[in-house]
Amino acid sequence: QFACSIIFSLDAEFEELLGFPKWVFFKFVQKWGSSHTNVSQFGAPEVLTHNEQVLVFFFYLRHYTKRLLMSKMFCCSEGTIRNTLKKLTTFFHDFFAPLLSFGSLEQRLCEGTKFYNEHITFLLDGTKQPIHSSRNIFLEAQLYSAKKKQHSI
């Protein structure tokens, strides 16, 4: 099955597909499994295992994969994918919300930038995304990672 081939793939391949190491994935599966039973609200067993549910969620986050495609990949209905994404989005939001903070208004005003008499606070996504090489020779060296052998920003 598709999920097994991903889970049992080489660590480098797994990390390339999901963007983080395999051990992190299993920590998330463990956290999800300890707070969620594998039985639906109607008492029937879930169609997808905990591993598959977490894999669906992170595939969606990493690749923005369409629900129809994921339903074919995981051999289930599109509704199952939709419900899984909804449950896991709520779960991970509740899990990470206490760990994330935008700080106080005073802190944001102090650390923000003043632009045309308006205070602006920036939020940055810290993940590196692969890009095509730049035609600007000055940017070329800044955007290329010799370790990853690719250009990224």
Side-chain angles (χ1 to χ4, degrees), residues 4-26 62:
C4 289
S5 66
I6 298 298
I7 291 169
F8 294 117
S9 65
L10 298 173
D11 289 348
E13 291 173 347
F14 185 92
E15 191 166 342
E16 186 176 338
L17 284 172
L18 291 182
F20 52 84
K22 201 181 286 191
W23 67 268
V24 173
F25 170 78
F26 286 116
R62 175 79 170 171

Side-chain angles (χ1 to χ4, degrees), residues 4 8-10 27 34-35 38 49-50 59 71 96 100-102 120 144:
C4 289
F8 294 117
S9 65
L10 298 173
K27 288 282 188 186
S34 66
S35 68
N38 214 9
T49 65
H50 292 306
F59 250 93
S71 70
F96 284 115
L100 302 174
S101 170
F102 292 114
I120 300 172
Y144 184 74

Side-chain angles (χ1 to χ4, degrees), residues 65-92:
T65 312
K66 298 286 185 188
R67 289 190 303 237
L68 178 62
L69 177 60
M70 283 200 293
S71 70
K72 301 306 179 195
M73 288 168 31
F74 289 92
C75 301
C76 62
S77 71
E78 198 173 342
T80 299
I81 298 294
R82 182 185 63 246
N83 294 338
T84 299
L85 289 172
K86 186 176 178 181
K87 285 188 294 189
L88 279 145
T89 301
T90 302
F91 170 76
F92 281 112

